[in-house]
Amino acid sequence: MFTPNGDGNNDFFEIFGKKDGWKQIDVQVFDRWGEKVFESNNHNFKWDGTYRGENMMSSVFVYTLRIVYTNN
């Protein structure tokens, strides 16, 4: 569970795995109304639950993740 409340536990949304096997990554996070609140193509991204410099309220979020592996 992602809980960005500053307690040091699960404060960031991130993906774990064998990243050296990834050629490309694209992640997008959307709020419940479909507005994109985060995106990254960095293998080591960490989202802290903010949007436009403000903390997001506790809610349901949807994400898409596209990974291309080094062997395509």
Side-chain angles (χ1 to χ4, degrees):
M1 181 184 289
F2 169 52
T3 57
N5 57 10
D7 68 356
N9 294 314
N10 302 315
D11 286 336
F12 297 97
F13 172 67
E14 58 188 310
I15 303 295
F16 297 95
K18 191 174 178 181
K19 297 179 184 180
D20 60 348
W22 300 353
K23 182 177 180 180
Q24 182 181 353
I25 180 174
D26 294 302
V27 62
Q28 298 178 334
V29 179
F30 301 89
D31 67 14
R32 62 190 289 173
W33 297 280
E35 183 172 4
K36 188 185 327 177
V37 296
F38 177 78
E39 67 180 326
S40 180
N41 60 7
N42 183 325
H43 287 55
N44 298 305
F45 79 90
K46 288 184 177 185
W47 181 45
D48 62 0
T50 62
Y51 178 58
R52 295 184 179 170
E54 299 289 327
N55 291 333
M56 300 288 298
M57 293 184 63
S58 181
S59 186
V60 173
F61 295 89
V62 175
Y63 69 90
T64 63
L65 176 65
R66 182 177 154 262
I67 297 175
V68 177
Y69 291 91
T70 55
N71 63 0
N72 291 317

